[in-house]
Amino acid sequence: MRRTRMTGTRLFVTAAAMGGVLAIAACEGENLFSVPGGAGGVGGADSEAPVVSITVPRGDSLSAKPVGDSVFVTAHVTDDVGIRSIRMYGVARRGVDTLGTSTVVQRFEEKSITVGAGIKDTTVYRYLLATSDTTKETAIIIVEAMDTLGNMAADSVDLILGGPDVVLVNVQNGLAITAGGQLNVGVQARDPLGITVVTLKLSGAYSAAVEWRPSPAVDSFAVDTVLSVPPTASGPLTVSAVARNALEVAGQSPTVTMNVVAAGAGDTIAPSLMHSSSAPARMEIQDSVRLSITGSDNTQGSGIASVGYTVLGISPTRGDTLLRSDFVEYSPALTGTVSASFGFGTFNVDSLNLPDSLVYELTTWMRDDDGNCAAATGQDQLTSFPCVRLASGETLAQDRAGQRIVRTVVAGKTVRLPAGGRILDAAVDTARKNLYLSNITNNRLEVFNLQTELFSKAIGVGSEPWGLAFSRNNDSLWVANSGGTNLSVVDLAAGREVDNARFLTPDVVLFEVEVRTSDGGIQLLVREYPQAQGPSFSDRPQYVAVDSFGNLVYSTKTSEVGNLGTVRKGYFENGWSRSEAKLFIEHGELTPSEDFYSIAHIDSIQSSTDTLGVDSLGNVLTAASLALFDHVPGFPNQIIKGTTVGIGIPAIDSALTQLRNGGSDVFAASAARWNIPSLTFQDTTYVAASGDGGWVAVGEGGAAPVGRVLSYGARPLESTSLSRSLQVADLLTNPAEEVRGIGLNYDGTLGVVRGRFAAYFFSPPDLRLQGLTEIPVPETGAGATLHPLHADFRTLDNLGGGYSPDTHIAFVASGEHTVDIIDTQRYTRIGRVYIRDVITGPLRAVLPFPVDNAGFVCSTVAVQDKRGNFIGNAVRLYEAGNFLQPIAPDGTTEDRCVVMKLFATTSGGGVVVIDVRKADVLKEHPERR
């Protein structure tokens, strides 16, 4: 049978300041002080004070420490209602009461511990640091506890300052030793006044004493001795050591009790073991340290009965230590090699001050069926260090520190996929608390519930899903299927794709018509793009956004065979028999070229040759005529036709006029040819809409000649107008710059671009640069977004706008495993969130859910857009909207308020969910440093 039990002892957070020596009632001897308020409880609700018991130091006449040494204190505290706080400190009493000269002086620094809600029984361990006072005297170690209703109790013990420090080595409590065998005992003593005599005493199963007298006296003394155990000895054997210094002050070691057994009566050899551990260098709070223990008992031993570990979680910054342990028992005991695996999560973490650096000190142990225990503190070789058991039951290696695992705990929760795959985009359904992830590998959407933190049934969609965007009424989700030429529509209430609603994108072709004159007459030559031999462009959707009219704006992906990306608009009207798509061309440059016509937004061009006659030399003169075809939007069978009448450019103009008169939105430019590279995109092309859908920004990932940013103002149906690239010249001027993320605020008054080297902020209507912030560790990472209620930013097109520091902030992913929080008025970093991995894809932001701030008092501020419409409530960060007056930290309620939830794909192969708290936003604010 295998039985597992978890044990744990919590050591709580300390406060460094000592606010004066409070009065206490000593449990031993006379009352040194009185307890304020007595033990009467609060309002008569509870009159029972906590029970406090100091177990280390002992408090007897031989408890001593050299002056200036720290002292290790262990205390057990219980209460029937709940423990609120614990104080530990050391004082000395000087003077004479009757003469009025009595004073209390501090000898050891205070440790204050705030206990978590609901804890009624705990053991605390602390090292109290000595003050600079060098007086030799008797100190009083005091531990006081207060329960949640205000009742207080305390315990105190004496500690001689100016005596030797003595410890035993090579022996441990509970060790079985064999009668007639040998006992190896070590003694270590030290005192700056000099050790003059050391005495080792044994009593119980048999009595013995060994004495050493160093001459001259030494500051430190260490000795190992081997003692013969009488063959007739049996039962408990107590071992202790006493040392005296040059002032005849004595100090005693902790007492060790072992058991003498008859020869052949049992196994007396401890097992041997080793362990290995693994954990990410940067750990999220839910991450674990994985631990594997391997070892065995001696070949003639009784077998392994239990295996376990003890880990101390040490905070170097707070000077605090927590403790956890776990073990597994085997019945019957196991022989041969035994392996056991464990895992423990992060603990002793200050969630309001991430990143938090912690040291986990790890000890593993094995105990055989006869009670012999061995400990290991590393992973290089098998060891059998003696065990020591704490008063609370945990096992450590005697006089040895455990293996130190130094880790940084950061914010965020990375969502792992249930069946693997690669995620390229994420969208948050705030109404249903679901996170949707496009799994391009498995052709489906992963659905992660943000409340249960569990995956629901995946939703099958089209081939290689990439970009995601919600419909304008948020009841469905568009999915760009980059492995085809279509977009899926997912019904969010039903949790499935609407099979007959898939948006099928029609083919898009650009045309050039050349008017060529030769001896044989006039010819009209037609060239189509894309061309098989290049240049060519793709029509496979990549990222997608939805404008305020419900139209789709989507990019198309590049391919390894040389296809360039494009940006297109997809639209569909009720009653139509077919969806429509148009290629954005307005931003492209046209190459001047006489006798050429560039034509777009029609279906096809057909040519034929007509005979015009014979010239004076007998040459047959011909002319090519053209028929230009388009269709009524939404009705491909309702053909619009324009035919050239006459010859040359006037004939083409005539055909175009016929098309327009028939309802076509044909685009044509005379004396110009298409410049395909200028209107296509060479790398991943990001698309993002403003919160109200009024604007869509397009960011080109490629860096040749420079990454471009373009914007589109929402227009109904087929109307398109993508900004020309010349207007972007002052936004990204570094020839090596590219776009790695893009976002717009709620009403399209400000946008942010995440480049390789900096974050650029611009006004979408005119694409004017408003400011920039350099990115730490350039070249890596992606992603940028704005506060969802960022609105009414002041620009040339919105002079009535103003600065609102509570919402005018941006979130920019950096290559330093962080999300930097930028104030968009001063373009400086005011906060930072440290995460485990580097963000590699789009960064999304939503307001916190009500459950995120349940139980907290989080003041909010109402937010309006540029039209004066109320758009939501934001968690308030500043007093009266003044950037120079951030709300003061209180360490609890206000600083714990979740301001924002961020979502992004990362280098770790998943999606990270980040709760951004007020403490994170204002972490580096100039008024909080």
Side-chain angles (χ1 to χ4, degrees):
M1 183 184 76
R2 174 182 169 122
R3 184 176 62 191
T4 303
R5 185 179 70 186
M6 172 70 87
T7 65
T9 300
R10 174 103 192 235
L11 290 71
F12 298 90
V13 179
T14 66
M18 178 171 179
V21 179
L22 289 184
I24 66 163
C27 295
E28 298 178 358
E30 66 180 55
N31 285 350
L32 301 178
F33 310 101
S34 61
V35 181
V42 177
D46 174 29
S47 60
E48 187 173 349
V51 176
V52 184
S53 177
I54 299 175
T55 54
V56 177
R58 298 178 308 280
D60 57 21
S61 62
L62 295 178
S63 293
K65 275 286 180 184
V67 173
D69 269 17
S70 59
V71 60
F72 182 69
V73 180
T74 301
H76 184 216
V77 182
T78 61
D79 187 80
D80 60 332
V81 175
I83 306 163
R84 176 190 295 173
S85 62
I86 300 171
R87 291 179 68 212
M88 308 172 77
Y89 52 99
V91 299
R93 189 171 60 181
R94 299 174 186 170
V96 180
D97 289 341
T98 58
L99 298 179
T101 59
S102 178
T103 59
V104 175
V105 295
Q106 184 180 353
R107 294 307 309 264
F108 292 92
E109 301 288 349
E110 175 188 322
K111 295 284 188 179
S112 296
I113 304 140
T114 300
V115 182
I119 293 180
K120 300 180 181 180
D121 189 325
T122 187
T123 300
V124 289
Y125 308 82
R126 290 293 186 277
Y127 275 101
L128 301 187
L129 302 179
T131 64
S132 58
D133 197 325
T134 59
T135 305
K136 300 178 180 66
E137 59 190 349
T138 298
I140 307 166
I141 302 300
I142 303 164
V143 177
E144 64 182 31
M146 179 181 292
D147 67 17
T148 55
L149 294 178
N151 302 306
M152 182 183 291
D155 190 13
S156 65
V157 297
D158 289 343
L159 179 68
I160 299 172
L161 301 183
D165 189 18
V166 189
V167 294
L168 293 173
V169 295
N170 303 329
V171 291
Q172 64 188 74
N173 285 309
L175 182 68
I177 58 176
T178 305
Q182 303 291 314
L183 174 61
N184 181 30
V185 182
V187 182
Q188 296 176 354
R190 61 186 184 86
D191 192 306
L193 295 177
I195 300 295
T196 59
V197 60
V198 176
T199 304
L200 176 66
K201 297 180 179 181
L202 295 84
S203 61
Y206 74 99
S207 297
V210 181
E211 185 178 275
W212 296 270
R213 290 183 175 272
S215 181
V218 293
D219 291 346
S220 62
F221 176 86
V223 64
D224 287 321
T225 185
V226 177
L227 304 175
S228 296
V229 181
T232 58
S234 178
L237 177 66
T238 299
V239 182
S240 63
V242 176
R244 293 183 179 276
N245 64 16
L247 297 179
E248 289 299 303
V249 177
Q252 179 177 313
S253 71
T255 299
V256 174
T257 301
M258 299 172 289
N259 191 40
V260 181
V261 298
D267 177 13
T268 61
I269 302 176
S272 57
L273 71 154
M274 63 186 296
H275 68 251
S276 61
S277 59
S278 63
R282 299 165 71 93
M283 300 179 67
E284 296 174 345
I285 289 179
Q286 76 279 358
D287 284 342
S288 296
V289 177
R290 305 308 304 175
L291 174 64
S292 178
I293 306 172
T294 303
S296 62
D297 199 11
N298 56 296
T299 56
Q300 301 300 316
S302 55
I304 302 299
S306 57
V307 181
Y309 74 88
T310 301
V311 59
L312 280 69
I314 304 168
S315 170
T317 56
R318 298 187 300 279
D320 188 36
T321 301
L322 308 187
L323 184 149
R324 284 186 182 177
S325 65
D326 193 9
F327 66 88
V328 59
E329 294 180 336
Y330 303 102
S331 180
L334 302 180
T335 58
T337 300
V338 177
S339 297
S341 297
F342 298 92
F344 62 87
T346 60
F347 63 100
N348 196 15
V349 178
D350 184 356
S351 61
L352 284 183
N353 288 288
L354 299 178
D356 195 4
S357 296
L358 296 169
V359 177
Y360 292 119
E361 196 168 280
L362 176 64
T363 301
T364 57
W365 54 266
M366 283 186 172
R367 187 171 282 111
D368 66 21
D369 210 29
D370 280 329
N372 302 304
C373 180
T377 59
Q379 54 190 23
D380 296 333
Q381 59 185 358
L382 294 170
T383 57
S384 298
F385 298 129
C387 298
V388 61
R389 178 168 288 185
L390 301 177
S392 51
E394 293 82 7
T395 299
L396 295 172
Q398 183 173 344
D399 301 319
R400 285 182 178 269
Q403 176 197 2
R404 295 173 69 85
I405 305 171
V406 181
R407 289 295 183 267
T408 300
V409 181
V410 296
K413 177 183 179 66
T414 296
V415 179
R416 296 294 182 184
L417 303 181
R422 182 185 176 203
I423 300 299
L424 288 182
D425 203 2
V428 184
D429 179 4
T430 55
R432 299 164 186 83
K433 310 297 189 296
N434 283 332
L435 172 64
Y436 297 96
L437 310 172
S438 59
N439 191 328
I440 194 172
T441 307
N442 296 335
N443 294 340
R444 68 188 196 182
L445 295 186
E446 308 290 355
V447 184
F448 183 76
N449 186 274
L450 295 168
Q451 288 183 311
T452 64
E453 296 191 348
L454 297 173
F455 278 97
S456 305
K457 183 179 179 181
I459 301 173
V461 288
S463 175
E464 298 183 4
W466 195 308
L468 305 174
F470 289 103
S471 62
R472 291 309 302 163
N473 57 9
N474 291 314
D475 64 350
S476 59
L477 182 69
W478 289 101
V479 183
N481 298 315
S482 66
T485 57
N486 54 73
L487 296 95
S488 294
V489 179
V490 173
D491 184 329
L492 297 178
R496 63 178 179 82
E497 180 182 1
V498 183
D499 292 330
N500 295 326
R502 189 170 289 185
F503 189 94
L504 307 176
T505 65
D507 192 19
V508 176
V509 180
L510 299 178
F511 300 93
E512 284 181 351
V513 177
E514 179 186 0
V515 181
R516 182 179 295 177
T517 303
S518 65
D519 293 341
I522 297 175
Q523 296 178 305
L524 299 178
L525 305 179
V526 180
R527 181 179 289 104
E528 297 181 2
Y529 298 99
Q531 296 182 337
Q533 70 276 17
S536 181
F537 45 80
S538 164
D539 55 1
R540 296 163 59 182
Q542 187 175 48
Y543 284 110
V544 59
V546 177
D547 71 12
S548 57
F549 293 96
N551 304 314
L552 304 178
V553 178
Y554 63 95
S555 60
T556 63
K557 62 178 293 186
T558 60
S559 70
E560 296 179 356
V561 296
N563 287 339
L564 301 172
T566 63
V567 177
R568 307 184 184 202
K569 181 175 180 177
Y571 47 97
F572 183 86
E573 180 120 325
N574 289 335
W576 284 6
S577 62
R578 197 189 79 173
S579 54
E580 297 288 345
K582 291 183 66 174
L583 183 69
F584 283 99
I585 58 173
E586 295 81 2
H587 61 287
E589 297 297 318
L590 292 170
T591 302
S593 185
E594 192 176 355
D595 299 330
F596 272 86
Y597 242 114
S598 292
I599 301 174
H601 305 334
I602 63 174
D603 295 336
S604 63
I605 299 178
Q606 296 179 2
S607 63
S608 60
T609 302
D610 300 320
T611 300
L612 300 180
V614 180
D615 65 11
S616 59
L617 299 177
N619 298 315
V620 177
L621 300 178
T622 61
S625 62
L626 301 179
L628 282 62
F629 295 93
D630 202 356
H631 67 274
V632 175
F635 300 95
N637 295 325
Q638 297 183 26
I639 305 301
I640 305 172
K641 182 179 179 180
T643 305
T644 56
V645 178
I647 60 175
I649 296 295
I652 299 174
D653 288 334
S654 174
L656 293 171
T657 298
Q658 296 172 52
L659 283 180
R660 293 189 179 102
N661 291 338
S664 172
D665 61 343
V666 61
F667 169 89
S670 61
R673 299 190 64 180
W674 293 115
N675 183 333
I676 298 299
S678 73
L679 62 86
T680 55
F681 301 91
Q682 301 180 44
D683 204 341
T684 300
T685 303
Y686 298 91
V687 177
S690 60
D692 62 4
W695 288 89
V696 175
V698 177
E700 178 183 21
V706 66
R708 291 176 292 176
V709 178
L710 308 100
S711 63
Y712 155 77
R715 288 170 173 78
L717 298 181
E718 71 272 11
S719 299
T720 62
S721 179
L722 198 61
S723 62
R724 296 183 64 82
S725 59
L726 284 178
Q727 295 176 273
V728 199
D730 63 346
L731 183 60
L732 304 179
T733 56
N734 186 332
E737 188 60 284
E738 62 187 60
V739 176
R740 293 186 173 180
I742 195 164
L744 295 182
N745 71 350
Y746 180 84
D747 54 8
T749 51
L750 188 71
V752 58
V753 173
R754 202 286 195 187
R756 294 171 66 189
F757 307 101
Y760 304 87
F761 298 87
F762 66 99
S763 49
D766 55 15
L767 287 174
R768 300 297 295 169
L769 183 66
Q770 301 299 323
L772 61 87
T773 302
E774 292 185 357
I775 294 175
V777 187
E779 307 286 348
T780 60
T785 191
L786 292 152
H787 192 298
L789 298 182
H790 191 301
D792 200 21
F793 189 82
R794 189 172 186 270
T795 65
L796 287 173
D797 294 291
N798 185 44
L799 290 175
Y803 171 50
S804 301
D806 292 299
T807 57
H808 282 191
I809 52 180
F811 303 89
V812 179
S814 85
E816 284 189 314
H817 301 252
T818 68
V819 176
D820 290 351
I821 303 171
I822 310 298
D823 173 73
T824 59
Q825 177 75 3
R826 294 162 176 80
Y827 303 100
T828 56
R829 188 173 73 200
I830 58 172
R832 203 170 216 200
V833 181
Y834 293 77
I835 58 177
R836 189 183 68 189
D837 305 309
V838 174
I839 291 176
T840 56
L843 180 62
R844 311 296 190 202
V846 299
L847 295 176
F849 303 132
V851 69
D852 292 323
N853 289 324
F856 300 151
V857 178
C858 302
S859 57
T860 60
V861 57
V863 183
Q864 296 179 330
D865 66 7
K866 64 182 179 182
R867 302 171 186 85
N869 299 320
F870 170 77
I871 59 176
N873 290 307
V875 173
R876 190 165 62 94
L877 302 173
Y878 298 91
E879 301 288 357
N882 185 346
F883 177 82
L884 298 179
Q885 295 182 14
I887 295 177
D890 63 2
T892 54
T893 302
E894 281 289 349
D895 275 6
R896 290 186 184 276
C897 291
V898 178
V899 175
M900 194 67 46
K901 295 182 81 74
L902 300 178
F903 305 85
T905 55
T906 70
S907 59
V911 169
V912 64
V913 181
I914 308 169
D915 285 346
V916 182
R917 301 185 184 275
K918 185 176 295 186
D920 300 317
V921 175
L922 301 174
K923 184 186 295 286
E924 299 184 17
H925 193 284
E927 298 299 321
R928 272 202 171 191
R929 289 177 181 172

